[in-house]
Amino acid sequence: MASPFSQLRGARYLSLATYKKDGQEVRTPLWFAEQGGTVYVMTRDDSWKYKRIRNNPHVRVAPCTARGSVTGD
């Protein structure tokens, strides 16, 4: 069975889409690591993306460039 993150294979960055309370999407490019079907990212617990994830844990990820241009699904 393929990993749900197989589209990230070979990418160095992912675009993390989080959502504001009003539903507006906010995309952030992040370095990541994938192991055993789990994607790991690090951020500070006082960052806005952390607060948005805490308020709404539904996120979307896609491969991207270091500047955040999405390069895949």
Side-chain angles (χ1 to χ4, degrees):
M1 184 165 118
S3 165
F5 301 109
S6 60
Q7 77 273 12
L8 297 175
R9 196 153 286 129
R12 294 180 59 194
Y13 299 91
L14 65 78
S15 176
L16 176 71
T18 57
Y19 299 92
K20 293 182 178 182
K21 288 182 181 180
D22 67 1
Q24 181 181 353
E25 182 179 83
V26 179
R27 291 193 163 273
T28 307
L30 296 168
W31 274 334
F32 73 97
E34 187 268 334
Q35 183 176 7
T38 302
V39 171
Y40 298 93
V41 297
M42 260 177 50
T43 192
R44 295 172 47 118
D45 65 358
D46 60 351
S47 70
W48 285 107
K49 66 184 148 294
Y50 180 89
K51 293 173 184 179
R52 288 189 299 270
I53 292 169
R54 188 178 58 219
N55 288 328
N56 182 353
H58 298 283
V59 300
R60 295 183 338 153
V61 296
C64 73
T65 66
R67 295 194 180 264
S69 297
V70 175
T71 60
D73 295 334

